[in-house]
Amino acid sequence: MNIIMIEDTAIPYLKIHPVDNVLVALQDLPAGTSFSLENEQLTLQQKVPAKHKFFINDMNEGDNVIMYGTLVGKARSNISKGGLMTTANTEHAAGSYAYRGFNYQWERPDISKFVNRTFNGYKRNDGRVGTANYWLFIPMVFCENRNMDVIREALQKELGYALSDKYKGFTRQLIDAYENGKDLFDIDLSSSSTGRDRFFKNVDGIKFLNHTGGCGGTRQDAATLGLLLAAYADHPNVGGVTVLSLGCQNLQVPHFLNDVRKRNPSFDKPMYIFEQQNSQSEEQLICDAIRKTFLGLAQINKNEREPAPLSALTIGVKCGGSDGFSGISANPAVGHASDILVALGGKVLLAEFPELCGAEQSLIDRCVNGDVAEKFINLMESYNDLAKKVGSGFHMNPSPGNIKDGLITDAIKSTGAARKGGTSPVVDVLDYTEPAVKAGLNLVCTPGNDVEATTGKAASGATLILFTTGLGTPTGNPVAPTIKIATNSKLAMKMSDIIDIDTGDIISGQKTIRQMGEEILEYCIKAASGEVIPKAVLLGQDDFIPWKRGVSL
């Protein structure tokens, strides 16, 4: 084996925690690469791609694999020092956890740059502040999805909310080229009009929650959907609501209205309800809904942005399409932004319970009391038990893309994912659709599935979502503007059309986690004020998938 010496002035690896027995490659390292580590020579046994891990000790079968200072796996076989971690030689393992009355002491970050800062938001009568002012269409049942689509086509284009027509123009060019015998591959995507300017200047969008539920499933599914839709109707970013009902579905309008009143007894937004089976015709239903909604849009257009403290922000943190850099660049940078916001009195929502597997004890030790800790433990255990009953479990969470990019076990993925929540105390644990009412870090029970998780975060009140990705994920939310953060600069350049922030400078050593976290919060302030529009919003990525409380990881 050829020996390639690495000078320690340009260290191409990272040891995250002093007790770790694996290192992360920050760049592709060929087989035979050798460097000095803690006064000992280490030579790589095979090529280690960037983002992947390699062992710094000889490992025997059954030995613990430690990363982030915690148990993340077990050796499946004997592994030589300098060996690459793979699914063949490493299996998932996580430590046991329990509430132990830990007296957590939080070291607050420096918030001097953000004290007395404000954002320009929409103040609601109940005291909450939205980062946007949307009109929301809600179907009680999937049978109304077609009517929703007809209304969407009618309203969005004429009122200036439609997406660009560039792909329609592209198709017209292809038709013309085909009819005239031209080469279709000579046709480029041309720019075209994005439609008329917004008619209602203070209405940021008209959103539609098409879904596949409301009837035909279990009564529990309908009840959970009712709670979810009520949460969206009550969301601070929503100024008014139009409800379409068929009439005979499981999710009846009175049940939905009762959920709204329970969630917010002072709910006073304009809400218009139309039931198709009580209408003279589909045409009348659609015309009545459009006419009434137009008047509602004129009403909420009277709302204007005004200054609000940063403590009024509620930010959901999410990762998707994660890679081997997620836990060392974007996620801890988001975590630092989270800590600053918590120190300022704001709320942070960390969800994706399958992606907290392996980080449970550290989160339990941060819980402010035993009740909060026990609720977290009970939700985690009941959720994981359901997955095990159908032959799965949290340990089967990593996707093929995760594994290919260095996230070999669920505990590695999860421990890195948990860093998005920063280091502040856990003030509350929320079941699916429960609202966040306490300032500080809240844990929200959702799947790890990107859209199910963002759907659940918005239901708990997230007015912005920070979404980190290492592979690229085109996901957004109808009511919570979603900010995409790349873990590496290669992705940020390759998929610049969906990425808002690049944290690759952390990997190259050009910026610290603290610097990047402050930049992320600055971007949040601008997005919350409507000064910048995140790419997911511009692209109309209004993804909405209700969780049926079945097994979804």
Side-chain angles (χ1 to χ4, degrees):
M1 178 184 295
N2 294 326
I3 303 298
I4 304 169
M5 297 302 296
I6 296 290
E7 298 294 335
D8 60 9
T9 53
I11 298 176
Y13 61 83
L14 175 67
K15 188 174 187 180
I16 298 173
H17 191 279
V19 303
D20 289 356
N21 56 14
V22 295
L23 302 180
V24 183
L26 299 181
Q27 62 189 53
D28 291 342
L29 301 175
T33 300
S34 184
F35 46 83
S36 177
L37 179 68
E38 298 173 355
N39 298 320
E40 292 187 14
Q41 204 68 18
L42 188 150
T43 302
L44 298 184
Q45 303 301 307
Q46 63 247 77
K47 176 184 176 181
V48 179
K51 308 178 187 180
H52 282 259
K53 290 81 185 168
F54 55 94
F55 294 92
I56 61 175
N57 303 312
D58 290 329
M59 303 288 289
N60 296 319
E61 181 178 355
D63 282 353
N64 290 341
V65 178
I66 307 297
M67 187 175 169
Y68 297 107
T70 192
L71 176 67
V72 297
K74 294 257 186 194
R76 291 181 182 269
S77 58
N78 295 337
I79 310 166
S80 297
K81 178 180 178 180
L84 173 69
M85 181 192 293
T86 67
T87 55
N89 63 27
T90 305
E91 63 182 355
H92 167 81
S96 60
Y97 55 87
Y99 178 61
R100 53 188 186 182
F102 193 78
N103 184 23
Y104 183 67
Q105 300 296 316
W106 181 41
E107 185 176 342
R108 292 172 175 267
D110 178 7
I111 59 173
S112 57
K113 292 183 181 179
F114 297 94
V115 171
N116 299 323
R117 293 282 299 278
T118 61
F119 71 99
N120 290 321
Y122 294 96
K123 294 185 178 179
R124 305 302 178 190
N125 291 337
D126 59 11
R128 293 178 298 165
V129 183
T131 63
N133 192 30
Y134 295 128
W135 189 277
L136 187 64
F137 274 81
I138 296 177
M140 289 291 97
V141 63
F142 58 83
C143 304
E144 291 301 313
N145 282 347
R146 178 191 170 277
N147 290 334
M148 296 268 287
D149 291 341
V150 171
I151 294 171
R152 184 204 311 262
E153 180 72 16
L155 286 178
Q156 287 196 331
K157 186 169 185 177
E158 293 304 315
L159 295 179
Y161 298 105
L163 299 178
S164 169
D165 288 334
K166 63 182 179 181
Y167 295 111
K168 292 181 181 179
F170 179 62
T171 304
R172 284 194 296 270
Q173 291 183 73
L174 291 177
I175 292 171
D176 180 71
Y178 182 79
E179 290 179 339
N180 290 282
K182 299 178 181 178
D183 187 348
L184 300 189
F185 290 93
D186 287 339
I187 305 301
D188 293 324
L189 181 65
S190 62
S191 60
S192 62
S193 171
T194 58
R196 60 176 292 174
D197 292 336
R198 287 196 331 224
F199 185 76
F200 296 109
K201 303 300 183 184
N202 294 324
V203 178
D204 295 299
I206 305 173
K207 303 295 183 173
F208 296 79
L209 298 187
N210 289 39
H211 59 78
T212 61
C215 198
T218 66
R219 292 297 191 269
Q220 181 197 31
D221 286 346
T224 302
L225 179 62
L227 293 170
L228 179 66
L229 297 179
Y232 272 67
D234 185 50
H235 196 280
N237 288 359
V238 172
V241 185
T242 299
V243 177
L244 297 187
S245 168
L246 179 60
C248 58
Q249 69 275 353
N250 287 350
L251 179 52
Q252 289 286 295
V253 169
H255 296 155
F256 164 73
L257 294 177
N258 187 51
D259 289 336
V260 172
R261 284 191 294 268
K262 282 184 176 179
R263 186 180 184 91
N264 186 356
S266 62
F267 183 90
D268 62 353
K269 300 173 185 177
M271 180 186 289
Y272 310 129
I273 299 171
F274 301 90
E275 194 152 273
Q276 186 166 3
Q277 290 171 347
N278 288 334
S279 297
Q280 293 180 5
S281 66
E282 182 179 284
E283 183 178 279
Q284 182 202 34
L285 173 84
I286 292 173
C287 287
D288 287 348
I290 291 175
R291 181 182 296 110
K292 195 68 174 176
T293 298
F294 190 92
L295 293 173
L297 288 165
Q299 180 180 339
I300 72 168
N301 190 54
K302 297 175 184 177
N303 298 334
E304 295 186 358
R305 291 183 182 271
E306 52 186 307
L310 298 188
S311 59
L313 287 174
T314 300
I315 294 181
V317 293
K318 171 77 180 83
C319 55
S322 298
D323 70 348
F325 286 161
S326 293
I328 60 179
S329 61
N331 288 352
V334 167
H336 186 68
S338 298
D339 281 347
I340 296 173
L341 184 61
V342 168
L344 291 166
K347 300 184 186 76
V348 172
L349 310 182
L350 175 65
E352 305 174 89
F353 274 26
E355 298 192 6
L356 299 180
C357 175
E360 297 99 335
Q361 190 61 63
S362 65
L363 290 169
I364 292 167
D365 289 343
R366 288 163 56 187
C367 288
V368 294
N369 58 50
D371 290 340
V372 172
E374 290 300 334
K375 186 174 182 180
F376 174 59
I377 291 170
N378 291 337
L379 285 170
M380 285 289 286
E381 290 181 346
S382 60
Y383 190 171
N384 197 23
D385 287 345
L386 282 173
K388 289 179 178 178
K389 286 179 181 178
V390 295
S392 187
F394 287 172
H395 68 284
M396 298 181 73
N397 188 13
S399 70
N402 295 151
I403 294 169
K404 181 182 177 182
D405 261 46
L407 300 177
I408 302 302
T409 74
D410 185 65
I412 292 176
K413 178 181 178 181
S414 298
T415 309
R419 301 187 81 185
K420 301 187 303 293
T423 61
S424 69
V426 176
V427 298
D428 207 356
V429 174
L430 311 173
D431 202 351
Y432 185 64
T433 75
E434 279 191 285
V437 296
K438 296 180 181 179
L441 176 62
N442 293 255
L443 306 183
V444 185
C445 185
T446 74
N449 174 292
D450 291 345
V451 180
E452 288 176 326
T454 52
T455 298
K457 282 188 179 71
S460 287
T463 53
L464 291 174
I465 293 175
L466 293 174
F467 192 117
T468 70
T469 182
L471 305 177
T473 305
T475 299
N477 182 265
V479 301
T482 302
I483 299 162
K484 291 293 177 48
I485 303 172
T487 70
N488 62 90
S489 298
K490 182 179 179 180
L491 170 68
M493 290 185 287
K494 174 184 171 185
M495 302 184 75
S496 60
D497 54 334
I498 70 168
I499 297 298
D500 299 296
I501 300 172
D502 175 18
T503 63
D505 284 349
I506 294 174
I507 301 300
S508 65
Q510 295 175 278
K511 290 182 182 177
T512 65
I513 288 172
R514 174 180 172 177
Q515 289 172 323
M516 204 70 244
E518 291 177 351
E519 288 185 22
I520 290 170
L521 188 55
E522 290 285 1
Y523 188 97
C524 286
I525 295 170
K526 292 179 181 178
S529 302
E531 295 175 13
V532 296
I533 309 298
K535 304 287 182 61
V537 177
L538 292 174
L539 293 170
Q541 292 169 339
D542 294 340
D543 303 312
F544 177 79
I545 300 180
W547 184 26
K548 293 185 177 181
R549 294 310 293 254
V551 178
S552 176
L553 297 178

